[in-house]
């Protein structure tokens, strides 16, 4: 029997070479398990991100298979029909003058006030990325040194203008959409009975499984007249 001078697990006792090799194999196995666990934890984090993205998609578009409503497909939210008086009888912002764009956005903001008899007032206007960039960089008029966005902010104090990527192609026929909304918890809510919950890793054979779950119940709009939308911009 070959021995090497080394402390054993209890300390001080010589350890045989075969025992040393066995301990090394155990350490290698433990290292492999730790590596697998780390990978499973990483995968679970990725899954959590996927769940968050899924919830975001459900919040805007809902899920027809489960009859879950989303913000963008709620039939109770009133629509503002934009005038097709841009170049080539178009509704798009790109085809319209700055004055016509201001008129369209103001008509959407005012729609919330008039349809609710003054009970609700828009606090936010959501625009697709391209249209937001257009009003943020286009001069309001030849006689002005302000942009369309700056002018809208000056005549609509208390209204925040935001770019929302989910509005790209969200309108009828794949057109772009904009929203005016009094964005408070009293008016609408994203119903999530169970936030993303991640449980302790569980060993299954040679793998570790990290269960993750969440529950989503759709979007509830308590006061539809606090919102308005327009398509075709």
């Amino acid at each position: 029997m070959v021995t090497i001078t080394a402390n054993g697990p209890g300390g001080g006792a010589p350890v045989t070479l075969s025992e040393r090799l066995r301990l090394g194999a155990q350490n290698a196995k433990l290292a492999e398990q730790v590596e697998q666990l780390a990978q499973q934890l990483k995968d679970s984090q990725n899954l959590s991100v996927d769940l968050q993205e899924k919830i975001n998609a459900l919040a805007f578009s809902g899920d027809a298979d489960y009859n879950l409503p989303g913000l963008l497909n709620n039939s109770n939210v009133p629509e503002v029909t934009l005038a097709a008086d841009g170049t080539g009888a178009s509704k798009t912002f790109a085809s319209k003058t700055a004055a016509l764009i201001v008129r369209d956005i103001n008509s959407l903001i005012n729609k919330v006030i008039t349809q609710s008899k003054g009970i609700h007032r828009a606090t936010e206007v959501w625009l697709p990325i391209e249209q937001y960039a257009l009003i943020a960089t286009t001069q309001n008029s030849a006689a002005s040194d302000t942009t369309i966005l700056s002018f809208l902010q000056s005549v609509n104090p208390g209204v925040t203008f935001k770019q929302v990527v989910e509005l790209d192609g969200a309108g009828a026929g794949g057109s772009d959409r904009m929203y005016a909304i009094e964005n408070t918890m009293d008016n609408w809510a994203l119903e999530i009975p169970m936030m993303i919950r991640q449980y302790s890793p569980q060993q299954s054979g040679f793998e570790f499984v990290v269960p993750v779950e969440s529950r989503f119940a759709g979007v509830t709009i308590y006061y539809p007249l606090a919102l308005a939308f327009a398509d075709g911009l």
Side-chain angles (χ1 to χ4, degrees), residues 94-218:
S95 69
K96 293 184 175 182
T97 64
L100 293 179
I101 295 174
V102 169
R103 178 205 62 191
D104 287 349
I105 295 178
N106 278 334
S107 68
L108 184 68
I109 295 172
N110 291 332
K111 178 68 171 177
V112 175
I113 300 174
T114 57
Q115 70 190 7
S116 68
K117 307 301 183 183
I119 295 175
H120 300 290
R121 294 179 179 273
T123 58
E124 295 180 6
V125 170
W126 300 349
L127 293 159
I129 302 298
E130 182 178 342
Q131 285 79 357
Y132 183 91
L134 187 149
I135 68 170
T137 58
T138 301
Q139 192 173 2
N140 186 47
S141 71
S144 171
D145 60 354
T146 62
T147 63
I148 297 173
L149 177 59
S150 296
F151 177 76
L152 285 168
Q153 290 170 330
S154 68
V155 297
N156 294 288
V159 178
T160 301
F161 294 81
K162 296 183 176 182
Q163 48 188 335
V164 178
V165 67
E166 286 81 5
L167 297 180
D168 295 344
S175 63
D176 293 339
R177 173 175 291 188
M178 64 176 173
Y179 264 87
I181 177 173
E182 185 181 49
N183 195 5
T184 70
M185 295 177 62
D186 293 332
N187 293 329
W188 72 287
L190 178 61
E191 307 290 354
I192 306 179
M194 179 189 293
M195 297 298 291
I196 296 174
R197 180 177 297 175
Q198 181 172 303
Y199 297 95
S200 301
Q202 301 175 7
Q203 187 169 3
S204 176
F206 294 104
E207 296 181 339
F208 286 91
V209 177
V210 182
V212 179
E213 68 173 332
S214 179
R215 295 180 182 178
F216 178 80

Side-chain angles (χ1 to χ4, degrees), residues 18 39 68 80 85 92 103 114-115 144 155 173 195 217 220 222 224:
S18 60
Q39 182 61 45
L68 290 176
V80 173
D85 53 1
T92 64
R103 178 205 62 191
T114 57
Q115 70 190 7
S144 171
V155 297
M195 297 298 291
T220 301
Y222 306 113

Side-chain angles (χ1 to χ4, degrees), residues 29-109:
K29 178 66 175 179
L30 178 60
E32 181 181 355
Q33 290 178 337
V34 170
E35 183 177 354
Q36 289 177 350
L37 177 58
Q39 182 61 45
Q40 291 293 332
L41 289 173
K42 181 179 179 181
D43 292 343
S44 71
Q45 291 171 351
N46 292 336
L47 180 58
S48 295
V49 172
D50 291 341
L51 282 173
Q52 291 172 8
E53 293 176 349
K54 179 64 174 178
I55 289 175
N56 184 73
L58 289 171
F60 279 100
S61 303
D63 191 319
D65 293 338
Y66 293 94
N67 198 31
L68 290 176
L71 185 62
L72 301 183
N73 54 10
N74 189 298
S75 59
N76 295 319
V77 176
E79 178 180 5
V80 173
T81 301
L82 300 181
D85 53 1
T87 303
S90 174
K91 295 182 178 181
T92 64
F93 282 7
S95 69
K96 293 184 175 182
T97 64
L100 293 179
I101 295 174
V102 169
R103 178 205 62 191
D104 287 349
I105 295 178
N106 278 334
S107 68
L108 184 68
I109 295 172

